[in-house]
Amino acid sequence: MNSRRIFVKKGIAGLMVGSIISLPDQSNAAPAKKEDTFKLGMAGYSFVHFKLDEALEMMKKTDVHYLCIKDFHLPYNSTAEQIAAFHQKLKDAGVTGYAVGPIYTKTHQEIDNAFDYAKRVGVDLIVGIPNHDDLKYVEQKVKEYNIRYAIHNHGPEDKLYPNAASVYNLVKDLDPRVGLCFDMGHNRRDNQDSVADLGKYSKRIFDIHLKNVTAATKDGKTCELGRGIIDIPAFVKMLRKVKYPGSCSLEYEKDMKEPLAGIAESVGYFRGVCQAS
């Protein structure tokens, strides 16, 4: 009797295990979702009040792996040894520095310095804010170094580049490696449609500062990504439509001395939108 009970129990257990590990019928399964062409990163300015180690710890906590490098973490006059140590620290944290900037320039010498810095750092993208009169010189340096140059728009207060259109109209006839760092939040503060503008100018957008704002006016403030007036699901849909290949780097400018909660919420929201759509 005992042996019969053991046999029955083993048989039932075997059926349960078999049902758990048996593979479902794949004939009607939905096709695997394609991986997005864009990646999530962080704009270094988000960490203006923090040392590099602290910034990398926040990136680790939010599982973000790409950084646009600011000079307060890697000064322009850094030596080769300091640059190597900086990259090693990023590597140890699982982070890649993919660009430098934004870098403001007023003279040809400052533009020369920016390109020399990018070359020494080992990136192929500069986010910059040059004078209009210097754009042809920027184009010359782009050709010389084969480093792309993305001009950052800064909203209605910015007399040079308030929105994406103002940048595009100045660079559209220049070398195709001169383009935009599209700050979608500042663009919206200038009462522009950031989703439509992503579609219009995508071929010249090399970098995106991912953010949302409270109003389409000068008084609009940066807020958590899911709480503003820009339709983020529509923005993600447009990223996919144009097959944007660059970084969407969160630039979080609210609670900048205690940003982790807002960064985490924004990162989680963006990933949730990408997974759900």
Side-chain angles (χ1 to χ4, degrees):
M1 189 67 175
N2 289 339
S3 62
R4 183 175 180 276
R5 285 177 179 169
I6 292 170
F7 175 80
V8 171
K9 287 180 180 179
K10 286 184 176 179
I12 292 171
L15 287 171
M16 290 175 67
V17 172
S19 67
I20 292 170
I21 66 172
S22 61
L23 296 174
D25 180 10
Q26 297 291 325
S27 58
N28 294 317
K33 190 173 181 179
K34 291 183 179 179
E35 188 174 342
D36 283 321
T37 56
F38 55 88
K39 58 185 179 287
L40 177 63
M42 287 296 305
Y45 183 68
S46 303
F47 303 121
V48 65
H49 296 295
F50 298 90
K51 295 179 179 179
L52 179 62
D53 288 343
E54 297 170 313
L56 293 175
E57 183 62 26
M58 283 187 268
M59 292 183 69
K60 182 178 180 180
K61 288 179 177 178
T62 52
D63 195 29
V64 178
H65 301 278
Y66 296 92
L67 177 68
C68 185
I69 300 164
K70 276 294 291 178
D71 60 293
F72 48 72
H73 286 151
L74 185 63
Y76 297 138
N77 62 354
S78 295
T79 64
E81 291 75 16
Q82 289 169 328
I83 291 171
F86 174 88
H87 283 305
Q88 186 61 51
K89 186 168 285 192
L90 262 60
K91 184 179 180 180
D92 292 344
V95 171
T96 298
Y98 73 90
V100 294
I103 299 175
Y104 290 83
T105 56
K106 299 294 185 182
T107 66
H108 285 194
Q109 183 60 57
E110 289 177 346
I111 294 170
D112 290 347
N113 294 344
F115 276 88
D116 176 69
Y117 174 67
K119 181 179 180 181
R120 290 186 294 110
V121 173
V123 296
D124 69 351
L125 177 63
I126 298 170
V127 177
I129 302 95
N131 290 329
H132 290 179
D133 291 344
D134 291 333
L135 287 173
K136 291 297 291 183
Y137 189 72
V138 166
E139 179 185 40
Q140 178 182 324
K141 303 304 286 187
V142 162
K143 293 176 179 178
E144 178 183 342
Y145 281 82
N146 190 27
I147 292 176
R148 294 173 301 151
Y149 192 96
I151 297 174
H152 189 297
N153 61 286
H154 269 112
E157 304 92 339
D158 186 351
K159 303 305 180 186
L160 293 175
Y161 310 106
N163 54 50
S166 67
V167 179
Y168 180 80
N169 290 333
L170 288 165
V171 305
K172 61 183 179 181
D173 296 323
L174 299 179
D175 187 283
R177 290 166 291 186
V178 183
L180 293 79
C181 172
F182 181 38
D183 190 307
M184 56 192 280
H186 285 316
N187 191 69
R188 189 72 186 100
R189 288 178 57 249
D190 200 47
N191 200 27
Q192 307 299 309
D193 185 334
S194 290
V195 176
D197 285 351
L198 171 61
K200 286 181 187 177
Y201 309 122
S202 62
K203 298 301 182 185
R204 298 298 277 261
I205 294 176
F206 305 151
D207 195 25
I208 291 174
H209 279 181
L210 186 67
K211 67 176 63 165
N212 214 331
V213 292
T214 58
T217 66
K218 183 178 180 179
D219 295 329
K221 306 297 183 185
T222 300
C223 60
E224 293 82 358
L225 198 61
R227 303 192 193 193
I229 61 171
I230 300 175
D231 186 340
I232 302 301
F235 194 83
V236 169
K237 184 177 180 180
M238 185 61 75
L239 287 170
R240 289 172 172 158
K241 181 178 179 180
V242 302
K243 295 181 173 61
Y244 171 67
S247 178
C248 296
S249 284
L250 180 69
E251 187 172 43
Y252 190 71
E253 296 174 308
K254 179 186 176 186
D255 307 321
M256 293 195 77
K257 291 188 176 180
E258 295 182 355
L260 181 57
I263 290 172
E265 178 182 327
S266 298
V267 167
Y269 177 78
F270 185 73
R271 288 193 171 127
V273 168
C274 291
Q275 291 169 5
S277 56

